[in-house]
Amino acid sequence: MKIFLTAGEPSGDTLGAALIDGLRSEVPDVELRGVAGPRMQAAGMESLFPMRELSVMGIAEVLPKYFHLKRRIRETAQAALDWGADIVVTIDSPDFSLRVQRLIREACPDQHTVHYVAPTVWAWRPERAGKMAKTINHVLALFPFEPPYMQAAGMACDFVGHPIATWDPVTATEISDLRAEAGLGDGPLAAVLAGSRGSEVKRLLPIFAGALGHKPLPEGTRLIFPTLPHLAPAIAQATQALPYPVTILDGAGQDADQAARARHVAMAASNLALAASGTISLELAHAGTPMVIAYDMAPLTKWVVKRKLITDTVTLVNLVSETRAVPEFIFEDCTPDKIAAALAQLHGARAAQEAAMAVTMDRLGQGGPPPGLRAAQAILAQAQSSGVV
């Protein structure tokens, strides 16, 4: 069996590596080719070219590299066609992935195509599902509420679980070691997570600092900022006047896995969190840390998104648990006063959030088969039912 795989960014590379393990456990002699990152390569797959060349897709750097990226899209599609792949699986990175799949489908209308990670049509731009259905046979979804959207557009779709639900729980020893190593003491901690991109931090941190300047947290609370090394200077500058002691955990000197684990331990050590919207809410749910979510966008982007937004919440814990237990402040509601009031009230809302977080992890597959194996089994089952293999 020949399966052509592509990933275009680190998160997709992580999903791809787990998928490779799952495929090999089901079909030991499976042949794999495509575009792979370091994790997929460590799992034994060679890459047509360095995955990092695709990391500019969809952001400002795309324009000067437009023709190079177009060439890589054509090369990738042609490589799958020339090899005669039984199944083509693209992972996330829709700007790259769906262009590759479209070229393959145009050249070979019967090609069986799979896309791993459903687009967020449940939140905005629902028309994307219909466009995607023109080139994709089968979708692998990270969230249990996504399959109906894909199926309504004419694609097969399987929920395969979210990788965060498979993370090892944080231990008391890890928390104790972090407190000692970072000099956090024994008092209450509050995690502040203003995003992973410089533009997010620049936009959100002044708002978060304004909220914390209202002193909404108990006396003696220490703020911890789990972040990345290149963002640490901006955070240090923006937090100088806060009425709480501040510790910045930037992962300097650690490899990527160690730094990611340290950030997660910091979340689990915290009594509460203030965070930007996104996957971070699932990380906090895994850590069992009650949260307030807040987010704003650049004016033009906000105008476009608001016109297309079709849900009353964008917080993943709320969506998966089918509650509204996590308070969120989006767009015009993302103000220091509103965020501060929610932080001050968070202690009284812990029980509802804790229940919603537990439901979220359960529904995302905690304690069940690993997502990589579920994804592999879903791909093979759908290919067999379609007569592909």
Side-chain angles (χ1 to χ4, degrees), residues 250-322:
D250 64 6
Q254 299 175 312
D255 65 32
D257 288 339
Q258 291 173 329
R261 184 63 178 179
R263 287 192 292 272
H264 193 53
V265 173
M267 295 179 209
S270 299
N271 302 86
L272 55 86
L274 169 60
S277 178
T279 307
I280 194 67
S281 71
L282 299 182
E283 297 185 35
L284 289 164
H286 183 276
T289 305
M291 69 198 85
V292 171
I293 297 295
Y295 202 73
D296 201 2
M297 295 176 170
L300 179 58
T301 306
K302 178 165 56 179
W303 180 79
V304 172
V305 171
K306 284 179 68 177
R307 291 179 68 240
K308 296 285 189 176
L309 197 64
I310 59 174
T311 179
D312 70 324
T313 181
V314 296
T315 299
L316 291 168
V317 173
N318 287 343
L319 287 160
V320 177
S321 67
E322 298 179 282

Side-chain angles (χ1 to χ4, degrees), residues 5-8 12 15-16 19 40 89-93 97 115-117:
L5 296 172
T6 74
L15 291 172
L19 175 58
M40 293 168 71
V89 182
T90 50
I91 306 171
D92 211 359
S93 303
S97 296
H115 188 66
Y116 194 172
V117 182

Side-chain angles (χ1 to χ4, degrees), residues 16-69:
L19 175 58
I20 289 170
D21 290 342
L23 288 168
R24 289 203 168 123
S25 71
E26 296 293 299
V27 185
D29 61 349
V30 65
E31 297 180 63
L32 302 169
R33 290 189 186 179
V35 181
R39 292 181 184 275
M40 293 168 71
Q41 292 178 60
M45 179 180 156
E46 293 185 5
S47 186
L48 292 173
F49 52 83
M51 187 191 75
R52 63 178 178 273
E53 292 185 19
L54 306 178
S55 63
V56 298
M57 291 298 291
I59 57 176
E61 294 95 327
V62 71
L63 192 57
K65 297 186 178 181
Y66 175 77
F67 293 106
H68 174 72
L69 292 166

